């Protein structure tokens, strides 16, 4: 559909020429302009004064309001039913203005052909209400409904329709312009969403309306208080973004496709099945569609889904060029993890390869707290191959022959090294050699012996440094999340001059984002201080001082947001449901990689979780801080300051049900740490598994994993329930069926391995863990046992919680798919008789070792011995760790030789002999 061209009414007369209500207005005092050079007094002598006379034609003469308006502006008038008596226009005594009620009557046609001045009653009454003289218009003017409006047309094919619309605009005081000039055109009247004028109007934010707007405004022509430019009135007549568009959708789920089809109809478009010849646009989900099922025609626009949501957000059809779908290139094949054969006779080699495999898997997740090194200049950074070529000094030129010999020697050595590296499962990048100009080339042999690692090997750092680095890493990720919220959501919504007007009101923006900018500013400074601390680390540096420094600002910034977080979520849901443009805005930005496919509400929950996470990390740092370090006291003060901040947060926001679930876990798991009980913690998921490795417990143990929002409780099934717990009130709860193994913060999980299913390995997964006290990665492997637990859903939930804990948006990047051989995991023969007997012998061996050990007597055995010897009246507290340490040398023997201990040992010995006989029979 092309833009409308010039339409002519007759020979030499153009319809779409620039016109104005006041282009021919001439005040009586300005008639001297026709006589250039004459003064006003002189012009009166030349021209006689012409008086304006109003002729009320037909029904206009019966309008009392019109007569009063003429009296108010001191304008004489007469009434007539026969305009032919005044229609010659040659009366020199009067400037005659005809006022007609009906612009379709024969009288109007007669006056118009004779070029008489014609006004409608609303135009006269409008001038009277403003105290202005009657306008001198070159065209008939009925009302001021479109006063000061400048219109442009596009997309019209029928000439008669354009003629009618142009006449109505002129009758209502509007201006018509042929070309679209953004500085002059106030509204674009469009029949389609094609054409250059439409694109310009979208870019400039000019309202684009349908022709019905003009017709509806003409119906209000008699209302002198009505104006067609009223925003509430014209909004109804906006051109929908998908007008004349037929859409089809490819790659979306059934729910998403239904939602998009519904919104297509709501915004003026139609939809058809994929491949239908009537379709004008094919909207593609670019993340799931790698290749189109057919070859699109030239007239079919193939666009990304961002075009669809962007059009709804702007309330105008977006340009297809910016969102054109292109077939993605085939992704580069990722380097597969080397397979470690279980048949390798050398077990030490297998363990070494396993460590290298785990290091490779966690390489991408390690976040260096240090900024990237600046690339050294060519003078100081010389590689092995170019070292001899760069020197241009006379001395080096003299020894060029020797350089060539040494260079060939280096090449042979490099070839040998490359061959040896090919045998290794992981490839390494050679370390660049940093030299000075004064260095001698004889050092080449020493440089060839440099380690192959791409970065210098760091000395083993303390656990205190490890946790401090983790604090900085999570702080850096948290600041990035806040920056994403501000840059992708708040700032665009708060920007002035949005296409189509503001998406949200200022009150809604304040409710949703609250004090996020203040929180961001505080944590930007905390991040800078932590970065400086980690880069210039020493054990004497204080971590607690940084938190204490900003505790006052944290108290001011956090409570206003956290206390009203629920209201913020409700506002997001309500606005997304009621405002299609906001819904489209969220769809566009939440699909960007910066968000990690998380919703705005999910990103905004990070400030609620951040302070408790920092407090836990500070506690870990304090645990690894020596008592003589001054920072230990400072850390205690910092933790107290964070608790003070959290006390300002509304206590009523806590989830009672979540706390009840945590108490149930504490009661169900024997030996569960007391610090599991926390106000910010909530139970996310629970899965039943079987251990496949030697850590965190023996292979074949039934293990229950309790996933919380910031930690993972690992507990195994107890082999025998000893007693039940009776509270002081006499109420008895069920005995604990699980035994505590470890409470692991989610920040220690470096990678989640999705182990591929094979004949020898089914429904297995593994966790690559790096505790701060360990110098290498650990592998925890499990097999899911519950039939109703979907492994993919469980791994995604686990990765999402890990990403939330370390303040990362790319949760899916934490999952690595690998084969079972690469991590030496197998589920074969887990339930065989031989496997069960082997596990039983291992457990019995451990029990015998503990029972007959005088140096490592279990704490629980000692407690039972002392409780058996004590009387009910004894009120001394139970043995704590310090007391056990002090009395181990004196009380261990007494405990072992006590009657209770002797009976326990005898019973255990009988059980052991019975089990030994049974296992011998099995073999």
């Amino acid at each position: 559909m092309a833009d409308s061209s010039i339409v002519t009414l007759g020979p030499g007369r153009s319809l779409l020429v620039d016109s104005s209500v006041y282009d021919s207005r001439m005040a009586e005092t300005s008639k001297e302009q026709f006589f250039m050079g004459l003064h006003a007094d002189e012009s009166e002598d030349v021209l006689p004064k012409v008086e304006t006379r109003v002729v009320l034609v037909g029904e206009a003469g019966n309008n009392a309001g019109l007569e009063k308006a003429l009296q108010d502006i001191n304008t004489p008038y007469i009434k007539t039913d026969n305009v032919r008596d005044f229609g010659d226009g040659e009366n020199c005594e009067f400037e005659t203005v005809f006022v007609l009620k009906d612009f379709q009557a024969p009288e109007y046609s007669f006056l118009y052909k004779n070029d008489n001045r014609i006004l409608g009653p609303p135009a006269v009454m409008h001038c009277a209400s403003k105290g202005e003289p009657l306008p001198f218009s070159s065209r008939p003017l009925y009302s001021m409904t479109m006063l000061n409006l400048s219109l442009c047309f596009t997309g019209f094919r029928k000439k008669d329709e354009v003629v009618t619309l142009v006449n109505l605009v002129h009758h209502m005081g509007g201006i018509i312009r042929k070309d679209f000039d953004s500085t002059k055109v106030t509204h674009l009247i469009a029949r389609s969403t094609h054409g250059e004028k439409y694109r310009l109007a979208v870019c400039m934010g000019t309202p684009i309306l349908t022709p019905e707007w003009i017709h509806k405004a003409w119906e209000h022509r008699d209302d002198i208080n009505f104006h067609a430019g009223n925003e509430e009135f014209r909004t109804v007549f906006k051109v929908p973004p998908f007008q004349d568009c037929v859409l089809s959708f490819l790659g979306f789920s059934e729910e998403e496709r239904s939602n998009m089809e519904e919104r297509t109809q709501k915004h003026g478009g139609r939809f058809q099945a994929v491949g239908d010849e009537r379709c004008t646009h094919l909207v593609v989900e670019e993340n799931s569609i790698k290749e189109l099922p057919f070859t699109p025609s030239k007239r079919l626009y193939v666009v990304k889904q961002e075009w669809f949501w962007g059009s709804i957000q702007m309330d105008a059809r977006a340009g297809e060029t910016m969102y054109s779908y292109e077939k993605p290139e085939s992704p580069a094949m990722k380097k597969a993890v080397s397979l470690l054969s279980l048949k390798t006779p050398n077990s030490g080699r297998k363990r070494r390869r396993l460590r290298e495999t785990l290091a490779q898997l966690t390489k991408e997740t390690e976040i260096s707290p240090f900024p990237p090194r600046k690339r050294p200049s060519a003078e100081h950074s010389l590689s092995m191959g170019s070292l001899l070529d760069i020197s241009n000094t006379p001395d080096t030129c003299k020894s060029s022959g020797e350089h060539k010999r040494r260079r060939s020697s280096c090449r042979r050595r490099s070839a040998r090294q490359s061959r040896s590296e090919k045998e290794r499962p992981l490839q390494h990048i050679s370390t660049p050699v940093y030299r000075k100009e004064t260095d001698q080339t004889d050092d080449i042999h020493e440089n060839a012996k440099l380690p192959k690692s791409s970065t210098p090997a760091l000395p083993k750092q303390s656990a205190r440094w490890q946790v401090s680095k983790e604090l900085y890493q999570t702080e850096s990720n948290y600041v990035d999340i806040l920056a994403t919220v501000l840059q992708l959501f708040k700032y665009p919504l708060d920007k002035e001059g949005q296409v189509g007007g503001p998406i949200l009101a200022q009150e809604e923006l304040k409710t949703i984002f609250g004090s996020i900018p203040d929180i961001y500013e505080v944590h930007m400074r905390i991040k800078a201080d932590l970065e400086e601390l980690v880069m210039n680390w020493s054990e004497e540096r204080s971590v607690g001082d940084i938190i204490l420094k900003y505790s006052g600002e944290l108290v001011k910034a956090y409570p206003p947001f956290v206390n009203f977080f629920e209201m913020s979520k409700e506002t997001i849901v309500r606005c997304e449901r009621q405002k299609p443009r906001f819904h489209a805005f969220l769809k566009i930005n939440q699909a960007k990689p910066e968000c990690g496919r998380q919703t705005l509400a999910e990103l905004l929950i990070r400030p609620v979780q951040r302070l408790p996470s920092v407090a836990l990390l500070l506690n870990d740092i304090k645990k690894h801080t020596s008592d003589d370090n001054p920072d230990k006291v400072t850390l205690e003060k910092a933790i107290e300051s964070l608790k003070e901040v959290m006390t300002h947060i509304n206590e009523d926001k806590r989830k009672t049900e979540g706390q009840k679930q945590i108490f149930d876990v504490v009661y169900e798991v024997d030996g569960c740490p007391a610090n599991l009980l926390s106000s910010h913690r909530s139970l996310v998921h629970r899965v039943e598994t079987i251990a496949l490795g030697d850590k965190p417990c023996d292979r074949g143990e039934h293990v229950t994993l309790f996933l919380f929002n910031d930690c993972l409780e690992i507990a195994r099934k107890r082999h025998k329930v000893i007693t039940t717990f009776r509270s002081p009130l006499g109420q008895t709860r069920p005995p604990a069926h699980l035994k505590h193994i470890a409470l692991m913060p989610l920040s220690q999980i470096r990678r989640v391995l999705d182990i591929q299913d094979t004949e020898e390995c089914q429904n297995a997964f593994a966790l690559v863990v790096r505790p701060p006290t360990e110098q290498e990665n650990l592998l925890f492997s499990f097999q899911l046992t519950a039939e109703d637990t979907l492994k993919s859903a469980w791994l995604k939930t686990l990765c999402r919680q890990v990403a939330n804990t370390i303040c990362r948006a790319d949760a899916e990047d934490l999952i690595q798919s690998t084969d079972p051989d690469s991590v030496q995991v197998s589920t074969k023969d887990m339930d065989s008789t031989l496997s069960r007997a082997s596990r039983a012998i291992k457990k019995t061996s451990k029990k015998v070792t503990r029972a007959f050990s005088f140096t490592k007597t279990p704490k629980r055995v000692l407690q039972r011995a002392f409780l058996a010897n004590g009387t009910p009246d004894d009120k001394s507290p139970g043995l704590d760790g310090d007391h056990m340490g002090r009395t181990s040398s004196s009380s261990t023997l007494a405990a072992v030789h006590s009657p209770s201990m002797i009976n326990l040992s005898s019973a255990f010995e009988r059980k052991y002999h019975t089990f030994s006989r049974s296992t011998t029979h099995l073999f």
Side-chain angles (χ1 to χ4, degrees), residues 228-258:
N230 180 272
E231 183 176 1
E232 184 177 357
F233 171 74
R234 66 175 172 83
T235 301
V236 183
F237 304 97
K238 280 187 176 181
V239 173
F242 302 132
Q243 180 171 296
D244 300 329
C245 296
V246 181
L247 278 57
S248 58
F249 303 94
L250 180 63
F252 299 93
S253 65
E254 185 67 24
E255 182 181 359
E256 290 178 332
R257 185 173 57 83
S258 299

Side-chain angles (χ1 to χ4, degrees), residues 287-576:
N287 295 320
S288 61
I289 298 299
K290 304 304 180 184
E291 188 173 355
L292 297 178
F294 62 93
T295 302
S297 62
K298 294 183 179 180
R299 60 178 293 273
L300 179 65
Y301 291 106
V302 183
V303 293
K304 303 176 184 178
Q305 61 172 330
E306 189 175 354
W307 171 85
F308 179 83
W309 297 113
S311 299
I312 297 178
Q313 176 189 332
M314 295 188 303
D315 206 9
R317 177 181 162 189
E320 290 81 4
T321 306
M322 295 176 57
Y323 307 99
S324 179
Y325 171 80
E326 297 178 359
K327 180 181 178 181
E329 299 179 359
S330 58
M333 296 298 293
K334 296 183 178 179
K335 188 191 305 180
V337 180
S338 61
L339 299 180
L340 301 180
S341 175
L342 293 175
K343 299 180 181 180
T344 305
N346 189 347
S347 60
R349 185 177 179 183
K350 287 166 52 180
R351 288 193 296 269
R352 183 173 65 256
R353 287 187 177 182
L354 177 60
R355 287 196 300 268
E356 292 173 350
T357 301
L358 297 180
Q360 178 70 10
L361 290 172
T362 58
K363 184 176 180 181
E364 296 180 3
T365 59
E366 293 289 346
I367 305 172
S368 175
F370 306 101
R373 291 178 179 268
K374 293 182 179 179
R375 185 173 179 228
S377 63
E379 298 179 358
H380 303 290
S381 176
L382 306 179
S383 64
M384 292 290 294
S386 63
L387 178 63
L388 302 178
D389 297 334
I390 267 185
S391 300
N392 291 320
T393 60
D395 295 337
T396 57
C397 292
K398 291 178 182 179
S399 57
S400 60
E402 182 181 358
H403 291 172
K404 292 179 180 179
R405 291 192 299 272
R406 292 183 176 177
R407 186 189 310 170
S408 62
S409 176
C410 290
R411 287 176 178 173
R412 290 193 297 271
R413 185 180 296 105
S414 299
R416 290 195 299 271
Q417 290 177 356
S418 62
R419 286 195 298 270
S420 64
E421 287 179 0
K422 290 180 181 179
E423 298 175 358
R424 301 175 64 87
L426 302 176
Q427 296 182 359
H428 300 275
I429 303 173
S430 60
T431 304
V433 183
Y434 298 90
R435 305 178 61 91
K436 296 183 179 179
E437 291 181 359
T438 58
D439 289 347
Q440 299 297 323
T441 58
D442 295 336
D443 295 336
I444 297 177
H445 299 284
E446 297 181 4
N447 293 333
K449 299 178 181 179
L450 289 176
K452 299 176 184 179
S453 175
S454 60
T455 57
L458 294 175
K460 292 183 179 180
Q461 298 288 356
S462 63
R464 171 177 160 85
W465 182 85
Q466 294 281 354
V467 184
S468 299
K469 184 185 75 169
E470 182 181 339
L471 175 62
Y472 164 72
Q473 290 173 347
T474 57
E475 184 70 18
S476 178
N477 295 337
Y478 176 60
V479 170
D480 291 342
I481 293 293
L482 294 179
T484 298
V485 171
L486 293 176
Q487 295 172 5
L488 289 187
F489 296 97
K490 185 180 187 306
Y491 294 157
L493 289 172
D494 205 15
K495 183 180 179 181
E496 295 183 359
Q498 300 177 35
V499 178
I503 297 177
L504 294 180
Q506 286 297 320
E507 295 77 10
E508 294 168 335
L509 289 176
K510 292 179 181 178
T511 303
I512 293 175
F513 297 101
S515 58
I516 286 290
D518 299 332
I519 297 175
Y520 174 73
E521 293 296 331
V522 176
H523 282 276
M524 277 288 292
R525 297 194 292 271
I526 294 178
K527 173 191 171 184
D529 290 353
L530 288 175
E531 181 177 352
E532 193 276 334
L533 173 78
V534 175
M535 291 180 63
N536 303 283
W537 175 259
S538 68
E539 293 297 326
E540 292 75 20
R541 297 293 299 273
S542 176
V543 181
D545 283 340
I546 298 177
I547 304 300
L548 287 175
K549 178 180 177 182
Y550 298 100
S551 60
E553 297 181 50
L554 294 175
V555 172
K556 296 178 182 178
Y558 269 92
F561 176 81
V562 179
N563 287 343
F564 296 96
F565 175 68
E566 293 299 328
M567 185 182 298
S568 174
K569 289 199 304 182
E570 293 173 359
T571 304
I572 293 175
V573 173
R574 175 177 54 81
C575 292
E576 187 176 7

